[in-house]
Amino acid sequence: QVRLVESGGGSVQAGGSLTLSCLVSQYTDGDIYIAWFRQSPGTQREGVAVLSRISSVTFHSYSVKGRFNISQDNAKTTVFLQMNTLNPDDSAMYYCAAGGGPLSLDPSHFHTWGQGTQVTVSS
């Protein structure tokens, strides 16, 4: 069973940057795709970005494209979400998730989720 542990959340001023990390362990070929989702109180879960661990191909949601970047380290043990030009609308609990595919931000394609890390962006 793949395990996912997020870290790197915190508080930042609008316009600032944060990088989140998702440590991936005990992965299998059923965990090819790692994605970041976010959810703020009273809202539905929103897909942010997804990455293939095998090819490193990525897809980013329109709302974060050009500001956020998903990547993985050379050892393919950690998936990052680099967040730039943050604004208060980016405040949310951020979760990483693992799934077998396809390359998608549909949460139904992901079977395992981390515990989340909170990001708060102040004006």
Side-chain angles (χ1 to χ4, degrees), residues 50-80:
V50 60
L51 168 148
S52 167
R53 296 183 60 254
I54 295 175
S55 69
S56 294
V57 67
T58 64
F59 175 79
H60 298 77
S61 71
Y62 179 81
S63 64
V64 307
K65 187 178 298 183
R67 297 191 299 121
F68 291 12
N69 184 64
I70 189 171
S71 63
Q72 64 181 339
D73 66 349
N74 291 334
K76 299 184 177 181
T77 58
T78 305
V79 177
F80 303 100

Side-chain angles (χ1 to χ4, degrees), residues 30-35 50-53 55 57 97-104 110:
D31 312 307
I32 295 173
Y33 298 93
I34 306 295
V50 60
L51 168 148
S52 167
R53 296 183 60 254
S55 69
V57 67
L103 187 75
S104 171
F110 297 87

Side-chain angles (χ1 to χ4, degrees), residues 81-103:
L81 184 67
Q82 180 180 286
M83 306 184 295
N84 301 311
T85 319
L86 287 161
N87 62 68
D89 290 337
D90 296 317
S91 296
M93 184 72 73
Y94 283 73
Y95 301 89
C96 60
L103 187 75

Side-chain angles (χ1 to χ4, degrees), residues 4 6 35-49 61 63-64 89-99 104-117:
L4 307 170
E6 302 97 330
W36 286 96
F37 292 81
R38 64 187 182 185
Q39 187 168 17
S40 56
T43 70
Q44 64 182 24
R45 184 170 41 187
E46 176 190 13
V48 176
S61 71
S63 64
V64 307
D89 290 337
D90 296 317
S91 296
M93 184 72 73
Y94 283 73
Y95 301 89
C96 60
S104 171
L105 289 175
D106 183 344
S108 68
H109 297 154
F110 297 87
H111 53 73
T112 305
W113 298 76
Q115 83 289 346
T117 186

